[in-house]
Amino acid sequence: MRRADLFGLCFMAPALILSILFFLVPVILTGVFSFTSMSTATGITGGAYEVTPEMVRDLKQSGFDEKAVNRLEADLFKIDDAGLAAVEKDYGKAFAGEIAKAYFGKTYDGRRSLERDLKKLKSRPRSTRDLKKAADLFKRSLLNTRFDSETVFLENLDGLGLSLSPEQREEITREAYTGWVWTNENYDRMASLPSTYRAATNTAIYVGFTLAFNIGFGLFLAIATFYLPSAQAAAFRTIWFLPRILPPVLYVLMWKWLTWDTGFLSTLLSFFGVPARNLMLDTAYHAWIVVILINGFVGASMGMILFSSAIRAIPSSMLYASEVDGASRMQQVWYIILPQLRWPILFTTAYQTLSLLTSFEYIYLSTDGGPGSATSVWAFYAFSIALNNYGGNLEYGYGAALAMVLVVIGIIASLLYLRLFDFKTMISKPRIEN
């Protein structure tokens, strides 16, 4: 390897490391998490085993053996060696021996019936509280009892005296496990829920219309300011660049002042007898117009700067020669300026597409996905599932699966743009050098 190549590699090494750490590794981890059932309920570490009322209800609905399910949710107490040892430790050998002699092996459906029998013993604790604590030492019910290992859970399950098949034991153990497991159900669920199709449709509307506005209006601003005097062009570019540099919260707040029922537009139209309405949220149609305009002006301001720089890089001799040949402004734009902007248009289109696919902050701040879910795009939907779920259970695995779909779509879109704009031709050597 030449010294110059080694020197260049040393300069590129930090960028390569950062790309791996902040892009490749997160994408790989997202792909891994998408095949798990991680959520707030499961946590991100190992889980425990617990029979909950929800689990019992699910077993009943699935047609599990009714007798076994009733036994699982019953409040059971059994006089056994483990309970007697605990009683002997806390309340003395005499009380434990008296319980063993009178009731060993007996099972009670509820603590109250056990307490009645314990009250008959001479060595019982005189305090009602202690008597209840002593009765709890014989509790063998699995309902709402947490076990840290599968072995302990199965031992207590067997203690219920149920005749379960290996398949039934496995099903109960699987349902009782509170931790996450490896699964592909996230993608199956994604394909079956109507909400994902609605989010996909909203994303197509959002990206398509906003992208068209970004590129089209950005090109218009760049070309229009190119033909203005330099001082006026600089002033107009500064004004149109404000949406890009303003903080998103302040920028959206200005739009709310403009479009809400107490805002500028409603106040102005009220003088003409038009009733006040919140144009940002009253209908899905109006909400989409506002969302596209909010994001459109931000993207158009960036496109304007890139396209303006590219237009100024066009050799002025080409434009002078076209004017000598009698070309109009429209002919200059069509035959000289636009062909020279293929590379900036490719970059801006690809960048804006990927940005729109993954961004939702302006939607979150303006409509919060409303009215209803009319403006809830895919990225916002994934955010709501994984990080901002009003139900309280943040579904990390399902959110990661939704995010992975965006990664795949972004890669496919980039490849299509490279093919559409003939990327190989744009980066090839000029013919004069061949």
Side-chain angles (χ1 to χ4, degrees), residues 152-193:
V152 177
F153 173 76
L154 290 176
E155 289 176 355
N156 283 269
L157 181 63
D158 294 337
L160 297 179
L162 297 174
S163 299
L164 299 174
S165 65
E167 293 77 13
Q168 289 177 321
R169 283 168 53 91
E170 183 180 352
E171 183 176 355
I172 291 177
T173 304
R174 183 176 64 252
E175 292 291 335
Y177 185 59
T178 62
W180 60 270
V181 295
W182 297 103
T183 179
N184 59 356
E185 291 182 359
N186 292 324
Y187 292 97
D188 296 336
R189 176 184 174 189
M190 191 188 309
S192 62
L193 288 179

Side-chain angles (χ1 to χ4, degrees), residues 237-270:
R237 292 191 190 106
T238 301
I239 293 172
W240 284 108
F241 197 62
L242 285 176
R244 169 63 60 175
I245 62 177
L246 281 177
V249 174
L250 178 59
Y251 178 60
V252 173
L253 183 61
M254 293 173 62
W255 275 94
K256 289 185 176 182
W257 286 340
L258 179 68
T259 60
W260 275 14
D261 51 350
T262 56
F264 175 77
L265 286 179
S266 292
T267 303
L268 180 63
L269 294 175
S270 64

Side-chain angles (χ1 to χ4, degrees), residues 40 56 244 292 366:
T40 304
V56 172
R244 169 63 60 175
I292 291 171
S366 58

Side-chain angles (χ1 to χ4, degrees), residues 99-349:
I99 295 174
K101 183 178 180 180
Y103 308 120
F104 186 80
K106 189 175 180 179
T107 300
Y108 297 86
D109 293 329
R111 186 176 62 183
R112 184 170 298 179
S113 57
L114 173 58
E115 289 180 10
R116 283 197 297 264
D117 279 352
L118 293 181
K119 288 180 180 179
K120 299 176 183 178
L121 303 178
K122 295 181 180 180
S123 303
R124 72 180 187 278
R126 300 306 171 184
S127 169
T128 303
R129 179 181 297 179
D130 289 339
L131 193 65
K132 290 181 181 294
K133 289 183 178 180
D136 285 337
L137 296 175
F138 295 101
K139 186 175 181 179
R140 297 299 176 260
S141 175
L142 298 186
L143 189 65
N144 295 325
T145 303
R146 192 176 182 87
F147 301 95
D148 293 330
S149 68
E150 181 179 354
T151 302
V152 177
F153 173 76
L154 290 176
E155 289 176 355
N156 283 269
L157 181 63
D158 294 337
L160 297 179
L162 297 174
S163 299
L164 299 174
S165 65
E167 293 77 13
Q168 289 177 321
R169 283 168 53 91
E170 183 180 352
E171 183 176 355
I172 291 177
T173 304
R174 183 176 64 252
E175 292 291 335
Y177 185 59
T178 62
W180 60 270
V181 295
W182 297 103
T183 179
N184 59 356
E185 291 182 359
N186 292 324
Y187 292 97
D188 296 336
R189 176 184 174 189
M190 191 188 309
S192 62
L193 288 179
S195 56
T196 56
Y197 291 98
R198 182 173 61 245
T201 303
N202 291 342
T203 303
I205 295 172
Y206 172 64
V207 174
F209 283 96
T210 308
L211 184 65
F213 186 91
N214 288 351
I215 303 302
F217 193 58
L219 270 173
F220 171 78
L221 291 174
I223 294 172
T225 55
F226 175 71
Y227 287 107
L228 288 176
S230 58
Q232 296 180 19
F236 274 103
R237 292 191 190 106
T238 301
I239 293 172
W240 284 108
F241 197 62
L242 285 176
R244 169 63 60 175
I245 62 177
L246 281 177
V249 174
L250 178 59
Y251 178 60
V252 173
L253 183 61
M254 293 173 62
W255 275 94
K256 289 185 176 182
W257 286 340
L258 179 68
T259 60
W260 275 14
D261 51 350
T262 56
F264 175 77
L265 286 179
S266 292
T267 303
L268 180 63
L269 294 175
S270 64
F271 293 108
F272 301 95
V274 179
R277 59 170 55 182
N278 187 339
L279 296 175
M280 189 176 284
L281 289 172
D282 65 333
T283 64
Y285 177 75
H286 290 150
W288 272 119
I289 291 177
V290 174
V291 165
I292 291 171
L293 289 177
I294 289 176
N295 289 272
F297 283 121
V298 173
S301 61
M302 176 184 175
M304 175 195 66
I305 296 299
L306 294 175
F307 297 146
S308 296
S309 301
I311 293 173
R312 291 171 66 87
I314 298 175
S316 57
S317 58
M318 297 178 65
L319 298 173
Y320 293 149
S322 67
E323 291 180 356
V324 171
D325 291 339
S328 64
R329 291 282 191 250
M330 288 301 300
Q331 289 173 326
Q332 284 184 340
V333 170
W334 188 257
Y335 293 105
I336 298 177
I337 294 179
L338 290 181
Q340 300 285 342
L341 294 183
R342 287 180 63 193
W343 178 267
I345 291 176
L346 167 63
F347 170 77
T348 306
T349 304

